[in-house]
């Protein structure tokens, strides 16, 4: 089963401009409760609209609810997707563009056209396969079938009925907004005989960098410029998974293949699918990641250049060291995903509502679990950590598994200051890039490695910090960061919306609220 939006898969583009007010009326026509989250949209002062289990009651089947939020002080490439019940494995995702205001120049010439390209691995069964994960025996992973481009199968794959293609004019330059909307696989993106100019990622203009191929990790988005400077012909567009023995045969199930078609071409695509770097070469990937840096001279959402906001002299007020891992519940039991050996258990009452109405009482206990070390044997609970309002948080993410992890923080863009292999120690700080670290909201953590980011906690609310890998997230690799400002002034944090849904221990209050 595929989850469509307005009959489309992927769903329709949300095409906005900085500071636009967005209203999205969601009619739930599937047979399960539903929410959408807006990956990378910061929901300034307004976690009420974040669309995850810790902030919102779900939209019940047959009902509708309207999200309303402002893309405040943001530009860039993002996407939305369903956040509950493993539903992202059924689709329901779509692109978001936030364009510059006309008074803010874009740091590259206007391209001929702008293409959204949502790529991701895809399971060969109903998204309700989630039951396999919790009904034992242990199912740490589920097999993927293929790699889809905008919901379409690989070109010339024997099972593909329709494939993705883009028509371009010779000599013109085009912007491709490439997002990894997949479930577990990082991929390497490339276009046969064409180079990619990296210009933006998740709301930050980057130092412009020419590459032959680009690694894109689960939940990430990039803008690349591609100039049609080759002979009139058709060319392969390729996405191949990392850490996977996938051949360059387009009939290989996990190789995503589309076409770049020159207008007027009469020459079919020819030759082998272009090879990328070895999918097991993590050194290539980490060095490329380190080279993606903030463009300090470009304006973005504001007229002052990005470089006027920097981390070279900040004072860190909190450090979290969070380890993403797996833990088995007994011999042969369910394999849970964990943060510091805690697997998150979703309460019936969203944390934000409990916070507002009862200071969290009866739903969660603030700082119950350690954010700096293991919490011992596998524990299951509601993991909520306190973030210091208007303080700088150093967030160190570690990965003791053999696959690439990917972490996302709602509500913020964070400064990616460092990557490394092996154990993180205090001495690792000497390797940080504090001059021009890129700002984004999703970052990879390499196998047996660590990633460090800085976040300025100026956005009060209840914010989800999670693995973007769907199985990990669904099985408990998440927590919430509570950033609290005691000032009730709505200029500091928005009040609940008039159409607020209530549920869980506040269900009876729902009638009082509505009447």
């Amino acid at each position: 089963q595929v989850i469509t939006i307005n009959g489309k898969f992927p769903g329709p583009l949300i095409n906005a401009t900085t500071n636009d007010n967005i209203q999205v009326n969601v009619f739930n026509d599937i047979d399960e409760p539903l929410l959408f989250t807006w990956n990378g949209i910061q929901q300034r002062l307004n976690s009420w609209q974040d669309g995850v289990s810790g902030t919102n009651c779900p939209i019940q089947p047959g009902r509708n609810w309207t999200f309303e939020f402002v893309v405040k002080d943001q530009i860039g490439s993002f996407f939305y997707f369903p956040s509950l019940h493993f539903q992202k494995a059924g689709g329901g995702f779509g692109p978001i563009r936030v364009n510059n205001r006309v008074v803010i120049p874009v740091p590259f010439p206007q391209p001929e056209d702008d293409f959204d390209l949502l790529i991701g691995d895809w399971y060969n069964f109903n998204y309700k396969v989630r039951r396999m994960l919790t009904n034992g025996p242990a199912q740490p992973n589920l097999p993927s079938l293929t790699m889809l481009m905008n919901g379409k199968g690989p070109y010339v794959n024997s099972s593909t009925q329709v494939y993705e293609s883009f028509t371009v004019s010779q000599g013109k330059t085009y912007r491709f907004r490439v997002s990894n909307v997949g479930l577990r696989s990082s991929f390497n993106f490339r276009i046969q005989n064409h180079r990619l100019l990296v210009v933006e990622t998740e709301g930050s203009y980057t130092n412009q960098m020419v590459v032959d191929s680009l690694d894109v990790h689960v939940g990430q988005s990039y803008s690349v410029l591609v100039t049609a400077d080759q002979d009139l012909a058709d060319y392969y567009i390729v996405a191949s998974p990392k850490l996977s023995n996938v051949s360059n045969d387009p009939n290989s199930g996990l190789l995503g293949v589309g076409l770049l078609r020159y207008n007027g071409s009469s020459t079919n695509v020819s030759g082998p699918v272009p090879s990328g770097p070895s999918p097991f070469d993590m050194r290539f990937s980490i060095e490329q990641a380190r080279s993606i840096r903030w463009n300090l001279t470009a304006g973005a959402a504001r007229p002052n250049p990005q470089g006027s906001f920097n981390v070279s002299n900040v004072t860190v007020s909190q450090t979290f060291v969070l380890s993403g891992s797996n833990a088995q519940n007994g011999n042969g039991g369910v394999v849970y995903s964990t943060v510091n050996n805690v697997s998150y258990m979703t309460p019936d009452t969203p944390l934000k509502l409990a916070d507002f109405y009862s200071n969290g009482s009866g739903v969660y206990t603030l700082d119950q679990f350690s954010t700096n070390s293991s919490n011992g044997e596998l524990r299951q609970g509601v993991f909520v950590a306190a973030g210091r309002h208007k303080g700088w948080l150093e967030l160190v993410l570690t990965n003791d598994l053999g696959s690439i992890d990917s972490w996302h923080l709602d509500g913020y863009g964070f400064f990616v200051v460092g990557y490394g292999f092996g154990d993180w120690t205090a001495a690792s700080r000497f390797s940080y890039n504090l001059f021009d670290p890129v700002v984004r909201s999703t970052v990879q953590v390499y196998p047996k490695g660590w990633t460090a980011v800085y976040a300025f906690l100026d956005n009060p609310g209840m914010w989800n910090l999670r693995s973007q890998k769907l199985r990990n997230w669904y099985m408990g690799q998440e927590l919430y960061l509570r950033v609290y400002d005691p000032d009730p002034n709505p200029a500091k944090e928005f009040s609940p919306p008039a159409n607020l849904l209530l549920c869980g221990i506040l269900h009876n209050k729902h009638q009082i609220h509505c009447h």
Side-chain angles (χ1 to χ4, degrees):
Q1 286 185 325
V2 173
I3 297 174
T4 64
I5 302 175
N6 297 354
K8 297 180 179 181
F9 173 58
L13 167 68
I14 295 176
N15 195 12
T17 298
T18 302
N19 298 336
D20 275 356
N21 185 65
I22 310 297
Q23 294 181 338
V24 183
N25 194 355
V26 176
F27 291 81
N28 182 6
D29 291 335
I30 68 173
D31 61 356
E32 296 184 338
L34 176 71
L35 282 174
F36 284 93
T37 193
W38 322 95
N39 199 63
I41 301 301
Q42 293 176 10
Q43 306 290 358
R44 298 290 302 174
L45 309 180
N46 195 16
S47 61
W48 300 105
Q49 305 292 332
D50 202 34
V52 289
S53 68
T55 59
N56 294 84
C57 294
I59 306 165
Q60 296 299 322
R63 304 300 294 269
N64 72 294
W65 195 73
T66 300
F67 291 89
E68 183 170 1
F69 54 89
V70 177
V71 284
K72 177 69 173 172
D73 290 339
Q74 287 191 265
I75 57 95
S77 308
F78 311 97
F79 62 94
Y80 58 86
F81 64 90
S83 63
L84 302 180
H85 309 308
F86 216 70
Q87 290 162 355
K88 187 187 176 194
F93 45 75
I96 302 173
R97 301 180 195 171
V98 184
N99 303 291
N100 281 52
R101 292 178 292 157
V102 293
V103 296
I104 310 295
V106 176
F108 48 84
Q110 179 70 28
E112 182 71 11
D113 208 345
D114 205 331
F115 298 128
D116 300 294
L117 184 48
L118 307 186
I119 304 174
D121 50 5
W122 184 258
Y123 288 133
N124 186 26
F125 23 64
N126 192 305
Y127 59 87
K128 294 180 183 178
V129 69
R130 62 183 181 240
R131 299 186 183 107
M132 291 175 60
L133 295 171
T134 54
N135 287 349
Q139 292 281 350
N141 285 301
L142 294 168
S144 296
L145 168 70
T146 190
M147 189 81 73
L148 302 185
M149 291 186 172
N150 285 343
K152 301 171 185 176
Y155 174 73
V156 306
N157 186 294
S158 58
S159 63
T160 293
Q161 298 181 22
V162 60
Y163 59 86
E164 186 58 295
S165 65
F166 300 92
T167 300
V168 298
S169 296
Q170 193 175 42
K172 302 294 185 181
T173 298
Y174 297 82
R175 181 175 184 172
F176 283 80
R177 299 177 188 254
V178 181
S179 294
N180 187 333
V181 296
L183 311 175
R184 72 180 193 190
S185 299
S186 302
F187 61 74
N188 179 264
F189 176 78
R190 53 198 182 271
I191 301 177
Q192 184 182 26
N193 293 355
H194 291 74
R195 307 198 80 188
L196 314 175
L197 181 66
V198 181
V199 295
E200 179 261 334
T201 181
E202 298 165 32
S204 288
Y205 289 121
T206 63
N207 282 343
Q208 296 181 13
M209 178 177 70
V210 177
V211 298
D212 294 315
S213 67
L214 180 66
D215 282 356
V216 186
H217 304 278
V218 180
Q220 292 186 337
S221 298
Y222 282 93
S223 288
V224 296
L225 300 184
V226 179
T227 299
D229 55 5
Q230 300 297 306
D231 294 337
L232 290 183
D234 296 348
Y235 298 90
Y236 289 116
I237 301 173
V238 181
S240 58
K242 307 292 290 184
L243 296 177
S244 176
N245 280 312
V246 172
S247 71
N248 281 345
D249 177 4
N251 277 297
S252 173
L254 261 178
L255 192 69
V257 184
L259 286 186
L260 185 72
R261 177 163 285 154
Y262 277 43
N263 193 22
S265 166
S266 58
T267 305
N268 292 331
V269 66
S270 62
V273 173
S275 297
S278 166
F280 299 95
D281 186 354
M282 294 295 97
R283 182 60 60 183
F284 163 85
S285 190
I286 199 171
E287 291 303 327
Q288 184 179 78
R290 287 171 175 157
S291 68
I292 296 170
R293 301 194 171 207
W294 225 19
N295 184 331
L296 299 182
T297 61
R302 304 172 186 172
N304 43 330
Q306 292 179 154
S308 60
F309 309 93
N310 65 75
V311 294
S312 57
N313 295 306
V314 305
T315 300
V316 171
S317 55
Q318 290 178 283
T319 296
F320 292 177
V321 181
L322 303 178
S323 174
S325 190
N326 289 332
Q328 193 164 14
N329 187 12
N331 184 21
V334 173
V335 176
Y336 290 96
S337 294
T338 61
V339 180
N340 290 0
N341 234 34
V342 177
S343 184
Y344 186 85
M345 300 295 289
T346 303
D348 293 335
T349 307
L351 308 176
K352 182 63 181 170
L353 273 70
D355 207 39
F356 183 81
Y357 285 106
S358 64
N359 201 32
S361 177
V363 177
Y364 75 89
T365 300
L366 190 64
D367 291 328
Q368 180 181 4
F369 302 109
S370 171
T371 55
N372 292 98
S373 60
S374 172
N375 286 274
E377 297 297 317
L378 171 65
R379 300 178 69 180
Q380 294 176 279
V382 184
F383 195 162
V384 184
R388 193 167 302 163
H389 183 233
K390 292 196 173 178
W392 282 93
L393 170 65
E394 178 188 34
L395 188 58
V396 179
L397 306 166
T398 71
N399 176 12
D400 64 4
L401 301 177
S403 59
I404 303 171
D405 205 353
S406 189
W407 283 79
H408 176 87
L409 176 60
D410 285 350
Y412 296 94
F414 45 59
F415 295 79
V416 184
V417 296
Y419 300 93
F421 294 114
D423 294 333
W424 179 90
T425 66
S428 302
R429 295 186 175 112
F430 292 110
S431 70
Y432 285 3
N433 167 29
L434 300 182
F435 175 66
D436 56 358
V438 73
V439 176
R440 61 186 319 147
S441 59
T442 299
V443 70
Q444 70 273 23
V445 187
Y446 292 98
K448 310 298 182 182
W450 57 268
T451 298
V453 305
Y454 283 178
F456 183 54
L457 303 184
D458 63 343
N459 191 16
M462 187 71 72
W463 302 111
N464 188 226
L465 175 58
R466 62 177 178 268
S467 175
Q468 292 277 50
K469 297 178 71 170
L470 188 60
R471 183 249 169 233
N472 294 18
W473 185 15
Y474 181 73
M475 295 304 293
Q477 191 181 329
E478 66 174 317
L479 68 150
Y480 279 82
L481 182 66
R482 180 184 185 261
V483 181
Y484 180 65
D485 182 355
D487 190 339
N489 184 345
K492 300 292 185 69
E493 185 179 2
F494 291 179
S495 300
N499 64 343
L500 181 69
L501 298 176
L502 298 181
C503 54
I505 63 172
L506 298 170
H507 176 72
N508 291 331
K509 192 176 181 63
H510 180 68
Q511 280 119 34
I512 299 171
H513 180 80
C514 291
H515 295 89

